[in-house]
Amino acid sequence: MEPYPTPSGSGHGGRALPVTGVRPEILASWQRSQSLGIDREGAALPIESDLDPDSRLVRAATPVLDRLYERFAGIPVTVALADSRANIVDRWGDPAGLKLMDAASLVQGANVDERFMGTSSVSMVLSTRAPFVVVGHEHFLHDLKELTCMAAPVRDPVGGTVRGAVNLSVPRSLANPGMALVLQEATERIEQRLLELSTARELQLMDSFRRARERGGHAELELGSGELSRRGGPAPHLTPQERLILLERAVELISSTGETFAEVPLAGSRTAVLRRRELHHGDAEGAAVEVSFEDARGAGLPGRDTASPAHEPRRPGRATATAPDGRHVPLLERPGEAAGAHAPGATAEPHAAERHSAEPPAAEPPTSEPSTSGPTDAWLLLVGEPAVGRLAAEARGRLSLLNEAGVRLGTTLDMRHTAEELAAIAVPRFADLVVVDLVEGVLAGEEPPPGGLGPDVALRRVAARTDEASHDTTSGGLRDATISGLHGTTIGGLHGTTIGDAHGTTNGGVDEPARYPAGTPQARCLETGQPVTDSVVTAALAGHPADRVHPVDLLGEGEHSYLGAPLSARGSVLGLAGFYRRGRTRPFEQDDLTLAGELAARAAISLDNARRFHREHQAALTLQRSLLPRALPRLTAVDLASRYLPADARAGMGGDWFDAIPLSGMRVALVVGDVPGNGLQAAATMGRLRTAVRTLAGLDLLPEEVLAHLDDLVSRAPEDSADDQDPATGATCLYAIYDPVSCRCTAARAGHPPPAVLTPDGEAELIGLPAGPPLGLGGLQPYESATVELPSGSLLTMYTDGLLKESRGYGDTEARTERLLASLNRAGPALEDVCDGIAGTLPPDGPYDDVALLLARVHALPEDRVASWEFPSEPSAVARARELTRAQLAAWGMSELEFNTGLVVSELVTNAVRYGGQGPVGLRLLRDDSLICEVSDRSNTSPRIRRAATTEEGGRGLFLVAQFTKSWGARYMPQGKTVWAEQIPQPDQPAAEPDEEALLSMFDDPG
């Protein structure tokens, strides 16, 4: 124990609080003490005059503390014993030391709580429920700054309740760590003596009933007189489960302060009637519970095996007696006592869990010996102390709460919902108010750092719940009547209210950031990863920066108990759960720390699972979304709209996809496909097929050729897994090409539903396309395409089969198709509204399979934007083509492209005349936002760019075309090919004069 250095300004005359060399928790206590207005020169301590000088705590501690003080003979030490309310109940010390205590008002009965004295070792112990040392200048009062005070709690061994604290004060210069160890040994010895005294009290109670049993017969407690008398008759047969239920209910009655009567329904139309009566014997105070049995009609059951129940005539209504609390309680029916009806061994002694000493050998559970006759009887079921019974009931309540947490926590993979579940479980059975804070990064799915968290870590409140019923009353912790395991019901959370639901005045800071400075109990909890307790004085926090640490407005005025439990999982702290009990009648004890830690640990595992799922889910969704088109292109030929409707919103997108791909000649390829299955595997397969389709579309292949290549791609298994089937096997695809010049649509399908079309002056109908097999099965038959005329303004609808499914199977596809066509017939001009209308035909609870929908309203290219000519295959066609092109550009107002276009036309027509065979040469110009030149011939030879040598006269034509255009390419027809080149007009910029030297330098040999 190293004394802390005295900071500057902390002397007796100092008024400012020192901030250096002081532990954060001490500084936080100072701030509370200063907010309470405590006089540092001399605090006025309240004096309690009505203390019990013969209490169990005093009797257990006095001989131990006598020896403790004698052990430090010759050293100016003082020893003080405080009870759980911080009242000094006894003290030891030499006359000089006691005189100093008198001068500081530390007399017998003085209350040394932080509210009156400021920072002290006893107040810190009773707040944190753990040993604490306050060194010199850490005291708030100036009179104590020359002392080192060490204190340790005294716990009741039955239940762990803090009964008080022992404080050892010594001058700073004489303090050493060994004193704290000696003090700890003394408090442990006091706890042992408390157990011995508790056992003695129970033994006194047991002696009372043992003497009654020695008089013969069964011991029964008369409700009216409280006297013990003997009754005969064997106990009815009870199953082990029934016996356990009765014992549990008896524990509740013993621990209850108001209940004296209870009925427990049993099997076979029986009812067990339990009655409680307080019992005093010497210094011991306890209660006894007796039990009798009735059938469903209210008649007493004879004491015999229920395998052959007796049906006795109904007896008159039971008499009642006035209980000590004023209530009318039914009395047992007392028929005449039958002589010789006594059966030994039929009395039930207290359950082993209800006492802490060995039972007498005569104690046995209710017997199951059958009897053919006997009067209605009552049997002693249980005897014990109310405090011990309450602790047993609370222990079972804790087990029930943990069992409930195992069922109710983590029902979803949502972090906020899991936090709300934790709060709902704890309120009101464990706490009056619960708040849950999570690290900001954890909410985003990030990996938390290992170990504890430092102060001021960024947190966000995700849940808050309060018990409105306890707003005006003090909390009782685990309620006595909430042992759900006895009745098979779950009541936790039923009375809790999500903050803000009832009055709408506050939301408890939910969705707001939370930060906890160093020294606060929350910061200690996050740093150490261990549960902590503390007291909360709302008056000290009002208007103070620490006001933001606790929900003061929800707690109300007074002193309350706080318990913070870290949400730790897999070596990392994810956040913090804060539990509050209003008032100080039932502060959190050691058992509560253990329970809160277990609840928080279970919740943390669920939260971490949800965090991992959130991270992986977001990664999967990001991948899936990236595999679909981010935005459909804006095209002249078609107006586009789309929808993707996943069957499982949480699983995200599956294997359905759509695409729109611009092609040469202002044409557009429209694609819709469906990969079997869903999830990430289907999405990845879909991405692979979509990439392949875009690649094949760039080659300007016919639809049936695109599907054939896709089928070949899917059919070939990887070499390293020749026996495995490609995940894309069985995928379907619909591929269509629309030409705005000819207003024709050519389409082919591979196992896919046919598209629907709505013409401007007609009704919606399906396009009859040859049915091809799904991908990977194309060896059965070749793919075929069909061409249809689509007038300008026609609406082309392409979709996946999820739109047609009535259930997990296909169901009535014809009915679904009719709904689709009917929806198209009602289509308006807005494509987005049409998408919504089609989506409205799906089942109310969503589609049974993923649905991809692509709508295209086609447009024709106006005739004044198309110019075409046909030339004989001879050299003179080149000059004629240039001349016609120049005139057409002038008519379109695109003279700035005259030089480049003339060069492109010359090169392409020359190649067609020279290498295109004997057929005619076609030239077509298309004007839109760009200028497209197309030259067609009868040859299928593929044009390609090559690097011509310096001495060669040809071989540079396509190179020049590539230099003076935005893009170029070739597409193939059933007979011949078309080479095209596209240019982008720039009317605001004059055409650049070609640099002949630069052009010639491009053809120089590298060497």
Side-chain angles (χ1 to χ4, degrees):
M1 187 191 321
E2 288 294 332
Y4 288 88
T6 304
S8 59
S10 64
H12 290 279
R15 295 291 178 182
L17 291 176
V19 296
T20 57
V22 178
R23 287 173 286 175
E25 54 267 34
I26 293 293
L27 184 58
S29 176
W30 274 350
Q31 292 171 341
R32 294 194 299 267
S33 303
Q34 194 173 43
S35 300
L36 290 169
I38 299 173
D39 186 1
R40 302 183 67 197
E41 300 298 336
L45 304 181
I47 306 297
E48 175 64 47
S49 58
D50 189 20
L51 293 177
D52 183 5
D54 195 35
S55 66
R56 280 203 295 167
L57 175 63
V58 173
R59 282 188 291 154
T62 297
V64 177
L65 297 184
D66 284 340
R67 290 194 295 271
L68 175 66
Y69 176 69
E70 293 171 0
R71 185 168 182 175
F72 292 111
I75 302 177
V77 302
T78 56
V79 178
L81 174 65
D83 61 16
S84 60
R85 296 178 297 169
N87 294 315
I88 297 178
V89 295
D90 208 346
R91 56 183 191 165
W92 291 259
D94 57 22
L98 295 178
K99 186 176 181 180
L100 289 176
M101 294 184 69
D102 292 341
S105 300
L106 300 178
V107 298
Q108 193 165 358
N111 193 299
V112 293
D113 191 75
E114 184 183 75
R115 295 172 295 167
F116 314 111
M117 185 178 176
T119 307
S120 69
S121 56
V122 172
S123 67
M124 297 299 290
V125 164
L126 295 180
S127 294
T128 62
R129 328 301 280 180
F132 208 91
V133 177
V134 180
V135 180
H137 65 278
E138 292 183 331
H139 288 96
F140 187 77
L141 298 182
H142 286 304
D143 293 341
L144 304 178
K145 290 189 177 294
E146 298 303 323
L147 297 176
T148 291
C149 297
M150 53 196 77
V154 177
R155 301 183 185 277
D156 192 326
V158 182
T161 306
V162 174
R163 294 294 187 185
V166 178
N167 179 76
L168 178 66
S169 300
V170 64
R172 291 175 54 191
S173 58
L174 301 178
N176 66 78
M179 293 180 174
L181 297 178
V182 173
L183 177 62
Q184 185 66 33
E185 293 175 357
T187 56
E188 291 175 357
R189 178 55 187 151
I190 295 174
E191 292 171 357
Q192 293 175 1
R193 286 182 52 79
L194 283 174
L195 178 61
E196 293 169 1
L197 291 176
S198 297
T199 305
R201 290 164 59 87
E202 277 201 355
L203 288 176
Q204 290 176 346
L205 289 174
M206 292 301 302
D207 285 341
S208 173
F209 291 97
R210 188 178 299 112
R211 286 194 300 271
R213 191 167 50 248
E214 289 173 355
R215 292 196 296 267
H218 298 278
E220 178 187 339
L221 188 66
E222 289 282 355
L223 184 63
S225 63
E227 298 296 329
L228 293 171
S229 61
R230 51 192 293 272
R231 295 290 180 186
H237 171 75
L238 293 174
T239 66
Q241 181 65 24
E242 290 174 335
R243 187 179 307 160
L244 177 62
I245 292 175
L246 292 179
L247 288 174
E248 294 281 5
R249 197 66 184 92
V251 168
E252 286 187 72
L253 282 178
I254 288 179
S255 61
S256 173
T257 58
E259 284 188 278
T260 58
F261 169 79
E263 289 186 348
V264 180
L266 302 176
S269 301
R270 298 174 303 157
T271 299
V273 181
L274 282 72
R275 291 174 177 81
R276 171 186 181 274
R277 179 66 177 176
E278 293 185 2
L279 180 69
H280 302 272
H281 185 89
D283 186 48
E285 297 181 358
V289 176
E290 60 180 355
V291 58
S292 62
F293 301 91
E294 298 177 347
D295 62 13
R297 299 169 300 173
L301 286 175
R304 64 181 185 181
D305 197 328
T306 57
S308 57
H311 300 285
E312 297 185 358
R314 180 178 177 85
R315 292 179 171 85
R318 295 193 303 265
T320 61
T322 302
D325 58 1
R327 293 190 302 161
H328 292 284
V329 181
L331 286 174
L332 290 175
E333 297 178 11
R334 313 284 189 191
E337 180 176 350
H342 312 308
T347 299
E349 280 290 322
H351 194 273
E354 304 303 320
R355 61 180 181 271
H356 303 279
S357 60
E359 292 186 351
E364 295 179 4
T367 182
S368 58
E369 294 179 4
S371 175
T372 57
S373 63
T376 302
D377 208 347
W379 295 266
L380 178 67
L381 181 64
L382 195 66
V383 61
E385 286 189 276
V388 178
R390 188 191 71 249
L391 292 174
E394 290 182 355
R396 273 180 285 274
R398 293 187 180 98
L399 291 176
S400 173
L401 195 63
L402 286 177
N403 179 67
E404 183 178 342
V407 174
R408 295 177 59 187
L409 273 177
T411 57
T412 65
L413 288 172
D414 181 86
M415 285 182 280
R416 292 179 182 273
H417 191 269
T418 300
E420 292 168 358
E421 289 174 335
L422 172 61
I425 290 170
V427 174
R429 297 175 61 185
F430 181 68
D432 300 318
L433 171 64
V434 176
V435 294
V436 182
D437 304 323
L438 292 181
V439 179
E440 292 274 14
V442 169
L443 280 173
E446 299 175 4
E447 192 73 27
L453 300 174
D456 294 320
V457 63
L459 300 169
R460 183 165 295 274
R461 183 151 298 168
V462 294
R465 194 175 184 88
T466 182
D467 181 14
E468 295 294 341
S470 64
H471 242 302
D472 301 324
T473 59
T474 56
S475 170
L478 279 171
R479 276 62 173 174
D480 294 334
T482 57
I483 308 178
S484 62
L486 300 181
H487 311 291
T489 59
T490 299
I491 65 172
L494 294 182
H495 306 294
T497 302
T498 301
I499 297 177
D501 289 354
H503 310 290
T505 56
T506 177
N507 64 351
V510 175
D511 289 330
E512 295 180 3
R515 290 184 179 273
Y516 299 112
T520 59
Q522 293 92 337
R524 298 200 307 270
C525 178
L526 292 171
E527 183 178 4
T528 62
Q530 298 295 326
V532 300
T533 59
D534 202 355
S535 59
V536 180
V537 184
T538 54
L541 300 177
H544 194 271
D547 191 356
R548 296 185 294 271
V549 174
H550 299 286
V552 175
D553 54 337
L554 298 175
L555 289 172
E557 292 296 328
E559 185 178 4
H560 314 286
S561 298
Y562 170 77
L563 192 160
L567 299 169
S568 302
R570 301 179 176 97
S572 300
V573 178
L574 311 180
L576 173 74
F579 305 89
Y580 294 87
R581 288 179 182 171
R582 295 188 178 94
R584 292 289 292 171
T585 58
R586 286 295 310 282
F588 289 107
E589 301 295 349
Q590 191 65 37
D591 289 343
D592 298 317
L593 282 170
T594 304
L595 175 61
E598 180 64 23
L599 284 175
R602 296 190 181 194
I605 292 296
S606 298
L607 287 168
D608 194 50
N609 291 338
R611 178 194 64 81
R612 290 167 178 258
F613 171 78
H614 176 77
R615 182 184 61 186
E616 301 300 328
H617 184 56
Q618 287 301 115
L621 288 182
T622 300
L623 172 61
Q624 290 170 307
R625 292 191 186 105
S626 67
L627 296 176
L628 281 176
R630 296 186 179 180
L632 292 173
R634 298 174 61 89
L635 303 172
T636 303
V638 293
D639 295 331
L640 299 171
S642 63
R643 285 289 187 276
Y644 191 102
L645 305 174
D648 185 356
R650 296 191 63 86
M653 302 172 184
D656 293 16
W657 93 92
F658 56 86
D659 208 346
I661 309 168
L663 301 178
S664 63
M666 301 181 65
R667 299 169 305 137
V668 59
L670 304 173
V671 193
V672 171
D674 186 1
V675 173
N678 27 46
L680 199 55
Q681 174 69 35
T685 304
M686 173 267 287
R688 182 164 61 92
L689 289 181
R690 178 171 174 256
T691 301
V693 168
R694 294 188 70 89
T695 302
L696 294 171
L699 299 177
D700 257 327
L701 301 177
L702 296 175
E704 63 270 24
E705 294 177 344
V706 171
L707 296 182
H709 283 290
L710 280 179
D711 177 74
D712 183 60
L713 175 66
V714 174
S715 300
R716 289 179 298 179
E719 295 180 359
D720 56 346
S721 57
D723 296 334
D724 294 340
Q725 191 178 60
D726 193 305
T729 301
T732 65
C733 183
L734 172 62
Y735 188 93
I737 297 177
Y738 173 70
D739 188 347
V741 178
S742 64
C743 293
R744 292 181 177 179
C745 178
T746 303
R749 61 188 180 116
H752 204 85
V757 63
L758 174 66
T759 57
D761 54 354
E763 293 186 353
E765 61 180 355
L766 299 179
I767 298 178
L769 296 180
L775 300 179
L777 308 174
L780 301 177
Q781 66 185 72
Y783 296 101
E784 299 181 51
S785 63
T787 301
V788 295
E789 299 281 346
L790 290 184
S792 181
S794 298
L795 179 61
L796 184 65
T797 303
M798 304 170 65
Y799 51 90
T800 56
D801 59 3
L803 195 63
L804 305 179
K805 290 184 177 180
E806 289 281 357
S807 60
R808 292 300 174 185
Y810 275 89
D812 190 356
T813 58
E814 291 186 3
R816 298 292 306 168
T817 303
E818 290 299 328
R819 292 183 191 177
L820 169 63
L821 297 179
S823 177
L824 290 177
N825 286 328
R826 298 189 299 268
L831 292 183
E832 293 297 330
D833 294 340
V834 179
C835 286
D836 294 338
I838 295 176
T841 65
L842 294 169
D845 54 349
Y848 294 100
D849 193 7
D850 292 357
V851 174
L853 177 65
L854 180 63
L855 298 183
R857 177 165 279 123
V858 301
H859 302 288
L861 188 66
E863 294 182 359
D864 59 354
R865 295 192 176 194
V866 181
S868 60
W869 305 273
E870 192 173 273
F871 308 103
S873 182
E874 55 187 32
S876 61
V878 177
R880 180 61 178 164
R882 280 201 305 266
E883 181 182 352
L884 293 173
T885 298
R886 187 182 304 112
Q888 188 62 52
L889 292 180
W892 283 345
M894 306 177 73
S895 298
E896 74 276 5
L897 297 179
E898 180 181 329
F899 178 83
N900 293 351
T901 307
L903 178 61
V904 170
V905 169
S906 297
E907 293 297 337
L908 294 182
V909 173
T910 299
N911 285 343
V913 171
R914 184 174 297 179
Y915 308 110
Q918 301 301 317
V921 176
L923 172 62
R924 185 169 73 168
L925 301 180
L926 305 176
R927 179 175 72 89
D928 191 38
D929 295 335
S930 62
L931 178 65
I932 300 174
C933 300
E934 296 182 342
V935 176
S936 303
D937 58 45
R938 297 297 180 89
S939 172
N940 288 325
T941 304
S942 175
R944 61 186 181 88
I945 296 178
R946 69 183 184 87
R947 190 175 188 88
T950 305
T951 57
E952 290 185 284
E953 295 183 0
R956 299 176 178 85
L958 290 179
F959 183 85
L960 292 174
V961 170
Q963 290 296 317
F964 286 97
T965 60
K966 174 179 176 289
S967 58
W968 75 278
R971 65 176 181 269
Y972 299 90
M973 301 172 291
Q975 293 181 352
K977 68 176 182 300
T978 297
V979 182
W980 57 270
E982 181 179 10
Q983 302 176 75
I984 303 297
Q986 297 179 348
D988 297 335
Q989 299 180 5
E993 292 294 333
D995 186 350
E996 297 178 357
E997 294 297 331
L999 289 174
L1000 293 174
S1001 65
M1002 296 179 184
F1003 301 102
D1004 292 343
D1005 290 334

